[in-house]
Amino acid sequence: MALRIDILLLGSRSHCLGRSPHGKMTGRSIPSDFVKNVLQNGIGRYVCQLQRLTVSFCKSHGDSRGARDFVENHMLDFTKKNPGTVVYLKPRRHRNPRLVAEYLNGRTETLNIRNMPQDEICKWVEHFRTRSGVQVVRLRKQWHTETPSIQGVWSPFTNRDSELNVTEFPDAELSKAISAPTATDRVLAMAREIGVKKHEPLSEKE
């Protein structure tokens, strides 16, 4: 009876933690949020959110061969292209190699790169570099705005004359061709105006 009670308690606790009794993650355990950007980064100017990158590896163990190749062949190019990111090399004897990415918002991402080739490590470093540091969440919608418009979604007919609502088409007035001077005509007119000003006779005061 006691064993059965323990199993039931374990199942109820799993539901509270967001897991099913079978050990699988449920949808409620994944945090959800709207699409957003850190301080509107990239709209005016872009600031890389990756503050610090630490590469831990062993100098002799075979599991760190890919990490050593990355340090020898790609680390210098990465530091030249990203001067705003601090890179630390942390030799650790007989320890699994890993990448530790620290972002400006205080969050830290850790990745085990044991037996990982250098090309794959380059892809993960680029992934960390282009991330915002915000926790990966389940998106509630594919679009979101912080300041919704009271007029609704913009369309080509927004702010148009209200007479168009009762106009019967085709309309003769609206079907007229719009005649406007071309760019060539404007340039020629400006050239003529400048030429006339140059050849104007001097006045008596001048």
Side-chain angles (χ1 to χ4, degrees):
M1 187 67 179
L3 178 61
R4 183 180 179 184
I5 293 175
D6 292 341
I7 294 175
L8 292 176
L9 290 176
L10 180 61
S12 61
R13 185 182 180 186
S14 300
H15 281 293
C16 294
L17 294 177
R19 294 177 177 270
S20 64
H22 303 287
K24 296 183 180 180
M25 298 287 289
T26 61
R28 295 181 180 180
S29 62
I30 303 175
S32 61
D33 202 349
F34 294 102
V35 178
K36 59 183 179 180
N37 196 6
V38 179
L39 298 176
Q40 306 297 326
N41 189 25
I43 296 178
R45 63 175 182 146
Y46 173 76
V47 178
C48 182
Q49 298 297 301
L50 180 61
Q51 182 182 20
R52 187 180 295 109
L53 180 67
T54 304
V55 184
S56 303
F57 62 96
C58 178
K59 294 183 178 180
S60 58
H61 205 272
D63 294 345
S64 300
R65 181 175 181 179
R68 294 194 298 268
D69 293 341
F70 170 77
V71 172
E72 294 176 0
N73 301 326
H74 303 282
M75 181 60 70
L76 188 59
D77 295 337
F78 177 80
T79 54
K80 288 181 179 179
K81 294 179 180 179
N82 303 278
T85 303
V86 183
V87 180
Y88 292 102
L89 300 180
K90 188 177 180 180
R92 304 176 66 195
R93 188 176 182 182
H94 302 308
R95 297 288 187 87
N96 287 337
R98 63 176 185 173
L99 293 175
V100 181
E102 302 177 34
Y103 294 92
L104 293 176
N105 61 356
R107 294 195 71 254
T108 302
E109 298 284 343
T110 304
L111 176 67
N112 189 354
I113 55 175
R114 178 174 177 267
N115 291 328
M116 192 177 293
Q118 58 178 333
D119 296 337
E120 190 171 352
I121 296 177
C122 289
K123 295 179 181 179
W124 277 109
V125 170
E126 184 67 14
H127 168 74
F128 287 140
R129 185 190 69 84
T130 54
R131 279 209 57 194
S132 62
V134 180
Q135 184 180 5
V136 178
V137 295
R138 174 172 51 87
L139 296 180
R140 300 179 186 177
K141 291 183 179 180
Q142 297 296 329
W143 56 272
H144 179 66
T145 177
E146 298 292 342
T147 55
S149 173
I150 60 174
Q151 297 179 351
V153 182
W154 180 90
S155 69
F157 298 98
T158 305
N159 300 327
R160 286 293 188 90
D161 192 355
S162 58
E163 292 183 357
L164 296 177
N165 297 330
V166 294
T167 302
E168 295 183 1
F169 295 96
D171 184 70
E173 187 66 25
L174 297 176
S175 301
K176 291 182 179 179
I178 301 175
S179 60
T182 63
T184 304
D185 297 336
R186 294 180 181 179
V187 172
L188 293 176
M190 293 172 59
R192 295 193 196 97
E193 186 178 353
I194 294 174
V196 170
K197 289 183 178 180
K198 285 184 177 180
H199 293 85
E200 284 181 354
L202 296 176
S203 61
E204 296 179 357
K205 293 182 181 181
E206 297 177 345

